[in-house]
Amino acid sequence: MNTYCNSLTSYSRFLTREVKVGDLGIGGNNPIRIQSMTTTDTMNTIATVEQSIRMIEAGCELVRITAPSLNEAKNLEVIKKELLKRGYKTPLVADIHFTPNAAEMAARLIEKVRVNPGNYADKKKFEHIEYTDSSYVAELERIRERFTPLVKICKEYGTAMRIGTNHGSLSDRILSRYGDTPTGMVESAFEFLRICEENNYHEIVISMKASNTLVMVEAYRLLVAKMMESGRNYPLHLGVTEAGEGEDGRIKSAVGIGALLEDGLGDTIRVSLTEEPEFEIPVAKDLVDRYVNRNDHKAIPAFNEKLPYNPFEYERRKSREVINLGNHHVPRVIADFGNRENISAASLFGLGYNYSVPLDKWNLSDMAVDYVYIGDNQVDFEIPGTLRFIQSSEAWRKNKNQQQAYPLFCAEEYFHSGNRSNELNFVAVDIETLTGDFIEKISKEKHVVLVLDTFNEHGMAEQRRMVLDLLKAKSDLPIILKRNYASLDEKQFQLFSSTDLGSLLLDGFGDGIWIKQKDCVSPQVCNSTAFGILQATRTRISRTEYISCPSCGRTLFDLQETTAKIRMRTDHLKGIKIGIMGCIVNGPGEMADADYGYVGTGPGKISLYKGKVVVKKNVTSETAVDELINLIRENGDWIERTNLS
Ligand code: SF4
């Protein structure tokens, strides 16, 4: 299995069959559709209708509403009627977990139902069960009996269905046989898909969501590869679950969704943020609009050989160590001050360095940049010991103090220069200069790090093409991925850079990232975006990670407020993952690999988890955040802020 998309070099959308959701076509040649989900109580018709209208007005083309029981399922008809009365024909989707009777009711009333194969016919017990082949087949038979009535209703009423697999809520059966893996996620969807097909029902959209972008991207790729192998072409619904809020949520969503869109995968997307659902829509639009004219990009030479890496399993590209770059080192962050007229100590303040005058020392944050490109500038102040500068080769040659400074050459210049560093030289290359001969020659140089630059509109693919050539030639030179952005607003800058760089990092490519930007954001935002991308791809952890659900009609507390409260107390706990989930039904499963969990169990009641194990049940919401901190402390993961340097 080597292919999961039409082309790795030429942008081309994977053509899926068209599925009609009411009048709305998903897949085929339709535009990539944008959708979201309400967070109101489904029984509160007016609140749900009004929120739906806000979403629709923002550009939402499909509104999903939770239907935890038969009552909510029935109320979907009332909501639909009210929306129609107010002039809105947008199709509705019922979100179902654990309740086949609600699904069967909703399928008669509205345009689409979403089922989660992990919990449609199973109660999740997190049990490992040894299945013999015959007991496994018996289990599948049980699911067939439970699921077939819904398939028949959908077929009869012309209702569409999403088979929405979620990492973290796989059935015990799948977990026992395939583990908590992308393969298990794909098989989970296929169990249900086969039943649909046996009934000659094909109005199906599939999703493979996870909060871990690596798992999510691998699962979708595996799904498409398996569909291609078996001649299937169902539309794909893309999403990163529990992406969180604000900058982190946007970066994480862009990394996961963007990586797939870049390869032409995806027919509809939902960006899940712990914010009001209408705020998700502009993010989704920005992500999708980038591909409207992507076909026109400058041609990239095709790679017609067997892929020299495995796109279905993460492995970091092997590279040699040059100072603190490559090999086992975390990917480095390079800031670009090349256009500045001069560099002072204050220039570093937005890059994670703060100078304390009374102590006469530099303080570093977890997001202290590793290298700064200063172009033709010289530096005349004492710099922090952990920071290094990159200069134009000309400025570096004139530099009297080259101790923490290294030159940047262009490809042609490097071999002709009589002045090179005997520690580290950066050599900038693009797809034209990175020829086979050049790779062979430059790879023999011990102290070189390549900077891969691109100006192609399909830049991720062009940089990937460059990496393929390096892999083919078995070159182990460390590589820096450099991207250039101009005149974007802050949100677009974050989304685009996360997509472009995150996609490559998820494939194990990149020993560092370098973002050059003009008229987009402050150096501080640029730096924090760069660290955010590394965090979202889990290649370098510099922050606490929050896996917080977007909330829905099942949510038992104010998720936005609680997330903010927990964040305020814990955002210094680098590397810890905290799940904040609105309900006990899906929360424990969907917080996936969180280290600690804060889950709503009833009105005003919270349960706290260590990993997947509940350790404090039904704590009152007033004391729950304190109890969570105590739990983190009891497990030795707590650090006082004052102890941080
Ligand atoms: S985990 Fe959150 S979004 Fe998911 S069903 Fe529960 S409350 Fe709704």
Side-chain angles (χ1 to χ4, degrees):
M1 196 158 30
N2 212 1
T3 309
Y4 63 89
C5 61
N6 291 347
S7 168
L8 290 177
T9 48
S10 173
Y11 176 76
S12 158
R13 245 181 99 184
F14 173 61
L15 186 64
T16 54
R17 60 179 293 140
E18 184 188 46
V19 167
K20 282 281 194 189
V21 184
D23 293 335
L24 187 81
I26 296 183
N29 291 316
N30 289 296
I32 301 168
R33 303 294 186 188
I34 288 168
Q35 56 174 297
S36 182
M37 185 168 175
T38 56
T39 58
T40 47
D41 176 352
T42 307
M43 294 311 289
N44 187 337
T45 305
I46 294 306
T48 305
V49 164
E50 286 178 352
Q51 189 176 57
S52 301
I53 291 173
R54 288 197 294 278
M55 291 157 61
I56 296 164
E57 295 284 322
C60 181
E61 297 174 280
L62 202 60
V63 173
R64 183 154 50 110
I65 302 172
T66 190
S69 74
L70 205 54
N71 279 346
E72 284 86 354
K74 283 182 190 154
N75 204 48
L76 292 174
E77 188 177 30
V78 184
I79 292 168
K80 180 150 195 67
K81 279 190 181 144
E82 183 62 25
L83 278 167
L84 281 172
K85 204 171 98 191
R86 298 193 192 193
Y88 295 92
K89 294 187 194 147
T90 307
L92 302 183
V93 188
D95 196 59
I96 305 291
H97 298 271
F98 299 106
T99 44
N101 63 349
E104 289 162 19
M105 173 58 69
R108 294 183 169 96
L109 303 173
I110 59 171
E111 291 87 349
K112 187 176 171 192
V113 287
R114 175 269 168 123
V115 295
N116 178 347
N119 59 29
Y120 189 76
D122 296 286
K123 287 262 178 291
K124 189 115 195 70
K125 299 195 189 91
F126 299 106
E127 276 174 3
H128 184 88
I129 303 158
E130 289 298 334
Y131 289 97
T132 61
D133 284 350
S134 63
S135 63
Y136 202 86
V137 169
E139 269 289 290
L140 292 180
E141 193 46 47
R142 184 178 65 78
I143 287 162
R144 180 174 287 110
E145 269 171 35
R146 294 279 275 165
F147 183 53
T148 301
L150 175 65
V151 176
K152 290 195 165 146
I153 294 166
C154 286
K155 201 172 160 192
E156 186 188 341
Y157 284 78
T159 307
M161 181 190 295
R162 168 157 66 101
I163 300 178
T165 302
N166 274 10
H167 180 236
S169 65
L170 297 176
S171 65
D172 291 335
R173 177 184 62 264
I174 288 284
L175 283 178
S176 303
R177 187 155 277 204
Y178 299 91
D180 204 1
T181 59
T183 309
M185 291 171 70
V186 174
E187 182 51 31
S188 171
F190 262 71
E191 285 183 353
F192 277 59
L193 192 56
R194 289 185 202 108
I195 299 169
C196 292
E197 289 173 340
E198 282 163 20
N199 286 281
N200 202 18
Y201 171 73
H202 304 280
E203 303 313 304
I204 302 158
V205 177
I206 308 180
S207 65
M208 295 276 126
K209 297 192 188 182
S211 75
N212 178 335
T213 54
L214 210 58
V215 171
M216 176 251 183
V217 168
E218 281 172 10
Y220 276 102
R221 286 179 178 175
L222 266 179
L223 169 72
V224 178
K226 196 158 176 185
M227 286 208 296
M228 282 173 154
E229 256 178 19
S230 57
R232 292 174 167 98
N233 61 349
Y234 295 103
L236 301 175
H237 165 128
L238 307 185
V240 175
T241 49
E242 285 78 39
E245 47 161 10
E247 176 186 292
D248 288 351
R250 283 167 176 76
I251 291 176
K252 206 170 179 187
S253 299
V255 165
I257 297 172
L260 296 160
L261 292 175
E262 283 285 315
D263 282 331
L265 305 181
D267 300 286
T268 174
I269 72 168
R270 191 246 169 140
V271 172
S272 305
L273 299 175
T274 311
E275 297 177 21
E276 293 303 313
E278 58 268 30
F279 294 164
E280 297 176 351
I281 308 301
V283 181
K285 271 188 176 170
D286 277 338
L287 285 175
V288 160
D289 285 352
R290 272 188 108 191
Y291 302 93
V292 173
N293 296 315
R294 181 61 70 89
N295 284 325
D296 305 335
H297 69 83
K298 192 173 165 214
I300 302 166
F303 190 82
N304 294 321
E305 298 164 50
K306 186 173 180 296
L307 277 188
Y309 75 104
N310 183 356
F312 304 104
E313 208 175 299
Y314 178 84
E315 188 187 351
R316 185 167 168 192
R317 173 183 165 264
K318 291 191 176 48
S319 59
R320 71 178 78 148
E321 181 181 34
V322 183
I323 304 192
N324 65 349
L325 281 149
N327 199 276
H328 63 283
H329 294 287
V330 290
R332 298 297 171 188
V333 174
I334 298 168
D336 193 312
F337 282 175
N339 290 331
R340 297 242 171 158
E341 303 224 320
N342 60 63
I343 309 290
S344 66
S347 311
L348 305 180
F349 292 177
L351 304 179
Y353 291 91
N354 275 309
Y355 186 68
S356 157
V357 178
L359 297 175
D360 185 26
K361 88 175 204 274
W362 285 96
N363 289 325
L364 275 70
S365 79
D366 285 329
M367 288 193 280
V369 77
D370 302 292
Y371 289 81
V372 184
Y373 175 65
I374 54 170
D376 293 330
N377 287 290
Q378 301 291 351
V379 164
D380 59 3
F381 58 93
E382 202 159 318
I383 63 170
T386 51
L387 182 65
R388 295 172 167 90
F389 285 118
I390 306 171
Q391 294 179 288
S392 67
S393 56
E394 188 57 26
W396 181 79
R397 196 173 54 76
K398 292 182 194 153
N399 188 351
K400 302 264 179 319
N401 177 12
Q402 293 178 341
Q403 220 190 352
Q404 283 165 258
Y406 306 94
L408 172 71
F409 295 96
C410 60
E412 308 83 60
E413 188 192 0
Y414 176 77
F415 287 109
H416 299 124
S417 170
N419 259 300
R420 300 179 202 156
S421 164
N422 53 17
E423 287 182 289
L424 167 59
N425 300 279
F426 291 90
V427 178
V429 291
D430 59 21
I431 194 147
E432 258 101 52
T433 47
L434 197 70
T435 61
D437 288 348
F438 180 83
I439 294 175
E440 200 187 327
K441 210 166 152 198
I442 196 88
S443 298
K444 292 185 184 130
E445 299 291 309
K446 276 204 180 103
H447 306 292
V448 162
V449 168
L450 292 179
V451 179
L452 308 190
D453 211 344
T454 179
F455 291 92
N456 194 315
E457 211 197 327
H458 201 28
M460 188 286 288
E462 187 167 274
Q463 287 183 316
R464 179 169 57 197
R465 183 67 180 80
M466 288 191 250
V467 180
L468 291 179
D469 279 335
L470 290 165
L471 284 169
K472 194 175 113 187
K474 300 199 172 10
S475 168
D476 66 350
L477 288 177
I479 53 175
I480 305 292
L481 308 168
K482 178 166 178 265
R483 292 299 303 242
N484 309 277
Y485 302 97
S487 308
L488 298 174
D489 67 35
E490 183 174 320
K491 299 272 182 291
Q492 287 177 327
F493 169 80
Q494 281 172 340
L495 297 174
F496 298 176
S497 57
S498 303
T499 296
D500 299 339
L501 295 163
S503 304
L504 294 162
L505 289 161
L506 288 181
D507 273 328
F509 306 153
D511 299 293
I513 58 174
W514 176 336
I515 306 178
K516 181 176 178 180
Q517 53 99 17
K518 191 166 176 279
D519 302 331
C520 298
V521 291
S522 66
Q524 191 162 9
V525 172
C526 184
N527 191 48
S528 128
T529 303
F531 277 95
I533 295 169
L534 298 180
Q535 173 99 15
T537 52
R538 300 199 176 183
T539 50
R540 179 171 178 177
I541 304 299
S542 53
R543 319 171 176 182
T544 318
E545 183 169 339
Y546 300 94
I547 301 169
S548 66
C549 80
S551 87
C552 70
R554 290 181 192 264
T555 312
L556 293 160
F557 55 87
D558 185 331
L559 246 151
Q560 290 176 44
E561 195 191 307
T562 308
T563 305
K565 233 183 332 192
I566 295 177
R567 205 182 177 122
M568 213 168 77
R569 305 271 303 270
T570 59
D571 65 1
H572 61 295
L573 301 177
K574 175 175 152 178
I576 301 278
K577 297 194 272 304
I578 301 177
I580 307 161
M581 299 288 149
C583 76
I584 193 75
V585 184
N586 288 323
E590 301 208 353
M591 60 192 181
D593 58 353
D595 301 302
Y596 296 93
Y598 181 107
V599 179
T601 37
K605 294 277 180 264
I606 306 296
S607 283
L608 300 174
Y609 286 70
K610 170 79 184 89
K612 290 223 177 295
V613 182
V614 59
V615 282
K616 294 187 187 183
K617 275 192 180 160
N618 297 325
V619 178
T620 61
S621 51
E622 288 77 32
T623 58
V625 177
D626 287 332
E627 289 287 345
L628 174 69
I629 309 283
N630 288 341
L631 181 63
I632 298 174
R633 200 173 260 128
E634 283 157 22
N635 283 278
D637 287 328
W638 181 256
I639 303 168
E640 296 300 338
R641 274 180 204 273
T642 46
N643 292 344
L644 298 170
S645 58

